[in-house]
Amino acid sequence: MKKIVMVIMASMLVMSLLSGCGGEKSADQKAPAKKFINIATGGTAGVYYPLGGAIAEILNKNVPGANATAQSTGASVANINMLKDAKVELAMVQNDTAYYAFKGIEMFKDKQVANIRGVSTLYNETIQIIVLEDSPVKSINDLKGKKVAVGSIGSGTEANARQILEAYGLAYADLDPQYLSFGEAANGLKDGNVDAAFVTAGAPTAAIQDIAFQKKVRLIPVETDKAEALIKKYPFYAKQLVNANTYPGQGTDVTTVAVKAMLVVPESMDAETVYQITKAIYGNTDRLKAAHKLGEGITKETALEGMPIPVHPGAEKFFKEK
């Protein structure tokens, strides 16, 4: 009898051990819940797309349960609309476009999107006005009567083009506007179908590099006095210098203006998730630098410069930490 009891006890002990090793995990051992994070970027010829891919990689490695993917989109305006429609959870946009959406002005007139919140600003997005080297266009005033690619209809680039032309006393009626994406504008320049193109993106921009490797290009300047007038009316602009040799054959510095790229999320996203996203991105900026040269400008110290809308509480928590 004694032996039988001992055998039963031994069997129970083994079952208990097996249960502990191979049974269901306790509540605190469960795998973290999946967090699907779709990231809206931009066209494959721009800067948003490679940086968005790097951000997705960072989140997948550093945010528990994250399943992040970057997708190519129509950029700023499209991204805000996708965020509004809950088709994405994180979006890269221009800070001026975010401002328009939050206020319900410009392309968002009567279509206000007040439930977006900022995560951080990233780097300067330079307004670059491109012509071929042999073009007779030497200044913005020379764009009168010319075919000018001003960006896709309703895009951030298109608003920049309109505002800069306005600073020079010009309107679309004074030229022949072509509503083209970066890639289409590049092809138009190469083929001679457009005379000049506005491109708002971090410099160097892949679409412009692609032209410059085949045909020499020039950047048309935005003079300092015009830049100052523009900034006075639209405070989200900043003066910007495109350094010599940014593009092949560019022998001199060129003055222009810039807005900022930024990250936005819906106001409804929980603060802990936004905190984890922000912490992961700013704890792995080396990966952003590897993805694109402009990643060098993404730092915690400058992350709230040019922020045009309220910051999400989750991001705010991270930036308040020492």
Side-chain angles (χ1 to χ4, degrees):
M1 186 69 180
K2 206 176 209 180
K3 285 184 179 179
I4 293 172
V5 172
M6 289 179 69
V7 169
I8 292 171
M9 290 179 67
S11 298
M12 290 176 66
L13 178 61
V14 170
M15 289 176 67
S16 175
L17 289 170
L18 287 173
S19 176
C21 295
E24 292 185 4
K25 292 180 180 179
S26 61
D28 59 350
Q29 290 177 312
K30 284 183 181 178
K34 282 289 182 186
K35 295 177 182 176
F36 292 96
I37 305 170
N38 293 312
I39 306 169
T41 63
T44 55
V47 181
Y48 285 7
Y49 188 70
L51 281 180
I55 289 172
E57 185 181 314
I58 288 169
L59 300 187
N60 286 332
K61 289 182 177 178
N62 296 278
V63 176
N67 185 343
T69 55
Q71 58 188 90
S72 176
T73 69
S76 295
V77 175
N79 292 355
I80 286 176
N81 285 324
M82 291 172 77
L83 204 70
K84 178 194 69 174
D85 296 336
K87 292 180 179 177
V88 297
E89 288 71 42
L90 180 64
M92 302 178 73
V93 302
Q94 290 176 203
N95 67 337
D96 54 339
T97 306
Y99 178 83
Y100 301 148
F102 186 75
K103 294 289 188 181
I105 58 175
E106 281 285 350
M107 69 286 287
F108 289 97
K109 184 175 174 59
D110 301 323
K111 296 177 286 186
Q112 184 179 18
V113 186
N115 64 339
I116 55 171
R117 294 294 180 267
V119 175
S120 67
T121 55
L122 300 171
Y123 59 87
N124 279 6
E125 290 208 77
T126 307
I127 290 89
Q128 302 162 82
I129 307 158
I130 317 299
V131 297
L132 296 182
E133 187 181 48
D134 58 2
S135 169
V137 175
K138 306 295 182 185
S139 74
I140 290 175
N141 285 321
D142 295 334
L143 294 177
K144 288 181 182 177
K146 299 292 190 294
K147 289 184 177 179
V148 183
V150 295
S152 302
I153 291 176
S155 67
T157 298
E158 189 272 321
N160 299 147
R162 184 161 27 84
Q163 290 160 359
I164 290 170
L165 290 169
E166 178 189 279
Y168 281 80
L170 298 175
Y172 285 165
D174 298 310
L175 41 94
D176 185 359
Q178 307 291 304
Y179 299 97
L180 305 174
S181 68
F182 292 174
E184 291 167 339
N187 289 330
L189 275 173
K190 283 186 288 187
D191 298 341
N193 294 326
V194 299
D195 300 302
F198 279 80
V199 174
T200 301
T205 305
I208 300 173
Q209 285 177 312
D210 180 54
I211 310 170
F213 281 124
Q214 299 174 54
K215 295 186 176 183
K216 289 185 177 179
V217 299
R218 280 189 292 108
L219 299 184
I220 302 300
V222 176
E223 287 85 4
T224 301
D225 62 327
K226 296 294 192 292
E228 289 173 351
L230 196 65
I231 293 164
K232 186 174 181 180
K233 185 168 184 178
Y234 304 104
F236 42 74
Y237 281 109
K239 292 180 187 177
Q240 179 75 11
L241 192 69
V242 182
N243 294 321
N245 302 314
T246 296
Y247 296 105
Q250 181 200 338
T252 59
D253 296 342
V254 179
T255 58
T256 185
V257 290
V259 289
K260 277 186 174 285
M262 65 178 289
L263 290 169
V264 294
V265 293
E267 181 184 19
S268 60
M269 184 177 280
D270 70 279
E272 181 58 24
T273 297
V274 178
Y275 171 80
Q276 290 176 353
I277 288 171
T278 314
K279 184 177 181 180
I281 291 170
Y282 284 91
N284 294 275
T285 52
D286 285 350
R287 177 66 188 88
L288 302 178
K289 293 175 187 176
H292 196 282
K293 181 176 173 59
L294 287 164
E296 295 172 3
I298 301 174
T299 67
K300 184 177 180 179
E301 290 70 32
T302 60
L304 297 179
E305 289 180 1
M307 176 61 69
I309 63 175
V311 178
H312 193 284
E316 192 172 40
K317 176 186 173 183
F318 171 75
F319 291 118
K320 284 183 176 178
E321 290 180 345
K322 292 184 179 179

